[in-house]
Amino acid sequence: MEFSFPLATHFDPVTGTIEGYPLTARRLSDLQGSFADEQAYQRALGMGDPLVYTVSGFEVPAEEGQLSYALGLIMPGKIGQEYYLTKGHFHAWRPAAEVYIGLAGEGFMLLESEDGSQNQMLPLRPHHAVYVPGHIAHRTVNTGSVPLTYVGVYPAQAGHDYDAIARKNFRHVILELDGKPSMIERSELLR
Ligand code: M6P
Ligand code: ZN
């Protein structure tokens, strides 16, 4: 069998890397507009530009029926009361679904329909998996005190649409309230 990519890889669930595959780093400065508390964001940026998360992607040519996957690692941390998070995205090809599997640490996924009217906060940690249906925006947050690592498997043709999130952030936020992770509407924060 001959393929243009290897069928077997070796990954590290602790460092969130797939051996020999590119690692994208997202620092706090890359997450402009993602966090609810703008003042806390600017304050944190003033003290440095910490690494928030990395993505190591095994991406194959975008052909019908093929799958790609990526390992994510989110550092522990908060901006104000809001946990470190990923940018979050829709798939450019909206029908594309994705499966997330927790590898280490603890966190949640925030899922939201395109009009924001439907949403769920689902656990992501070892022994937990989340099915993200097509047409659903998804963001991951680390609510623990160690890095959260996970793998996401998606159609090679999915693509990432970050613009829709940049225009209109998720309707909900996952915050630490009374010492535990809770999901509330962003609009409630403005009151
Ligand atoms: C998962 C996959 C990747 C994604 C990454 C980080 O590993 O869904 O495709 O890139 O999480 O999420 P984001 O792209 O929203 O920064
Ligand atoms: Zn995705």
Side-chain angles (χ1 to χ4, degrees):
M1 288 197 296
E2 283 288 327
F3 293 93
S4 60
F5 47 85
L7 304 187
T9 59
H10 182 236
F11 67 85
D12 185 342
V14 175
T15 60
T17 50
I18 306 174
E19 227 172 86
Y21 284 82
L23 191 73
T24 303
R26 304 269 196 216
R27 297 190 165 274
L28 194 57
S29 58
D30 298 316
L31 293 166
Q32 193 81 51
S34 296
F35 292 97
D37 187 339
E38 181 60 24
Q39 280 185 359
Y41 176 75
Q42 292 303 339
R43 231 181 294 127
L45 258 191
M47 296 190 301
D49 191 11
L51 179 70
V52 178
Y53 68 99
T54 60
V55 182
S56 184
F58 175 93
E59 297 210 304
V60 308
E63 286 162 16
E64 199 177 334
Q66 302 299 322
L67 298 172
S68 286
Y69 56 92
L71 224 66
L73 177 150
I74 310 175
M75 298 298 287
K78 277 183 294 181
I79 296 298
Q81 294 164 283
E82 192 174 14
Y83 300 99
Y84 274 11
L85 43 69
T86 59
K87 280 182 175 226
H89 58 271
F90 284 97
H91 291 141
W93 178 43
R94 289 290 191 276
E98 181 163 2
V99 174
Y100 274 68
I101 297 164
L103 300 175
E106 52 183 307
F108 288 89
M109 290 192 75
L110 181 58
L111 267 48
E112 215 165 82
S113 61
E114 208 144 10
D115 65 1
S117 67
Q118 292 179 60
N119 58 85
Q120 288 194 37
M121 170 183 165
L122 301 163
L124 186 68
R125 55 179 189 264
H127 303 187
H128 287 249
V130 175
Y131 185 90
V132 181
H135 300 272
I136 297 292
H138 40 294
R139 164 175 279 168
T140 312
V141 303
N142 182 350
T143 57
S145 52
V146 298
L148 166 68
T149 58
Y150 59 91
V151 62
V153 186
Y154 48 96
Q157 293 170 303
H160 293 82
D161 175 2
Y162 296 107
D163 289 353
I165 305 295
R167 278 197 303 275
K168 184 167 66 78
N169 207 338
F170 284 70
R171 187 188 281 197
H172 293 78
V173 292
I174 298 179
L175 301 177
E176 186 184 75
L177 291 179
D178 298 326
K180 53 176 204 294
S182 320
M183 179 175 76
I184 67 162
E185 276 212 36
R186 190 176 300 278
S187 59
E188 286 184 44
L189 295 168
L190 306 172
R191 291 190 199 139

